Amino acid sequence: MEINRTKEKLNRKETVFGCFVRYPDPALVEMVACMGWDFVVLESEHGSLDLRTCENMVRSAKRWGVTPIVRVTTNSQSIILRFLETGAQGIIVPQVNSQEEAKRAVQSVEKSSRVLTSSYDEKGTVNPVVVLYIETVKAVSELTEILEVDGIDVINVGRTDLSQSLGFPGQPGHPEIQKTLDTILTSMHQSNIGLGIMASGIQAAQYWKSRGACYITVNLENLLKYSVKHYLDVVRG
């Protein structure tokens, strides 16, 4: 059976760390994967990732024992199935706003997994990580009902879209946004579903880990920006 190390760690209530790769390049995924991440997120929602390239990127991640997770464009079984067919070990569904949409996402992953499992022998058993993004005021208001849906591994809070939905775009530190995040965390702590968050750097990741996040991501661009800036500041004196 193919091992999904991120799924196993989440089931053990361990914290996992992943890197978003927006550029459709298998060599780039391999470079990132060899650094020791638990998972990489292959970006389809906000990128130009096609299925053929995704398949090669998935292989690059698996070569290093890193879980490849795809963020799909929409909550659609046909799209989820096609990306799972590339060998992806996890699916991120964006813009989940209700219990009904959460159920549809989970059922789409489960149905797609059954289709794939029936096509392979035991070694091909599919058991994907299921990550749902809540990014709107409506999603927050329905979070209690969403958390009742079986089969969700992680609820990830999309703070950028949430700040826009709340009417404070680009202001993640605004008191109203912080108040909303506190409400989300209170609900999440009463659930067995893992809390996911994107953190821009080390301090942010440590902060969210201390607040209970167990699925922490970062953009590759942020890592490069800070490491390159630090390097140039030091060598230039």
Side-chain angles (χ1 to χ4, degrees):
M1 181 183 294
E2 188 174 76
I3 298 173
N4 190 326
R5 292 183 173 84
T6 296
K7 183 99 169 182
E8 289 182 343
K9 287 186 175 183
L10 288 170
N11 288 339
R12 294 195 299 265
K13 306 302 180 184
E14 297 179 22
T15 303
V16 294
F17 298 90
C19 183
F20 265 82
V21 178
R22 186 165 58 90
Y23 306 98
D25 188 333
L28 180 59
V29 170
E30 186 158 7
M31 182 193 76
V32 171
C34 75
M35 296 177 182
W37 297 96
D38 295 299
F39 63 95
V40 292
V41 176
L42 312 180
E43 177 65 275
S44 168
E45 185 190 16
H46 298 298
S48 57
L49 181 62
D50 61 79
L51 292 167
R52 176 184 287 272
T53 306
C54 182
E55 190 169 14
N56 289 324
M57 294 169 77
V58 164
R59 291 194 186 107
S60 295
K62 288 182 176 179
R63 188 173 295 129
W64 292 93
V66 174
T67 305
I69 299 175
V70 177
R71 177 153 73 170
V72 298
T73 53
T74 56
N75 190 354
S76 162
Q77 186 187 348
S78 62
I79 291 175
I80 289 170
L81 173 59
R82 296 187 74 187
F83 277 105
L84 284 177
E85 286 177 328
T86 68
Q89 293 181 302
I91 292 293
I92 297 172
V93 180
Q95 294 287 339
V96 174
N97 293 310
S98 67
Q99 186 181 71
E100 180 183 351
E101 292 179 6
K103 287 180 178 178
R104 184 166 75 246
V106 171
Q107 289 169 359
S108 294
V109 174
E110 290 178 345
K111 288 178 182 177
S112 299
S113 299
R114 286 196 296 271
V115 169
L116 294 175
T117 298
S118 66
S119 301
Y120 302 124
D121 57 21
E122 187 179 348
K123 293 181 180 178
T125 300
V126 179
N127 187 25
V129 178
V130 179
V131 182
L132 307 186
Y133 264 52
I134 60 169
E135 308 173 80
T136 64
V137 173
K138 184 178 189 302
V140 175
S141 69
E142 303 228 4
L143 181 56
T144 300
E145 289 75 23
I146 291 172
L147 292 172
E148 294 173 353
V149 177
D150 291 331
I152 304 170
D153 292 301
V154 175
I155 290 291
N156 197 100
V157 183
R159 288 182 293 159
T160 299
D161 284 345
L162 181 58
S163 67
Q164 294 177 348
S165 181
L166 286 166
F168 306 102
Q171 302 179 61
H174 192 281
E176 284 300 315
I177 296 175
Q178 295 305 309
K179 181 180 176 180
T180 301
L181 290 172
D182 288 340
T183 299
I184 293 171
L185 264 60
T186 298
S187 297
M188 291 296 301
H189 290 159
Q190 298 171 357
S191 167
N192 289 324
I193 297 174
L195 169 65
I197 202 80
M198 179 175 283
S200 59
I202 293 173
Q203 291 183 339
Q206 290 174 328
Y207 169 77
W208 284 108
K209 183 180 179 182
S210 72
R211 297 204 67 181
C214 65
Y215 173 97
I216 299 174
T217 55
V218 65
N219 276 324
L220 178 60
E221 292 88 339
N222 277 341
L223 293 177
L224 289 173
K225 179 177 70 174
Y226 290 120
S227 61
V228 170
K229 185 178 185 305
H230 176 68
Y231 172 84
L232 292 176
D233 287 345
V234 172
V235 297
R236 286 173 174 164

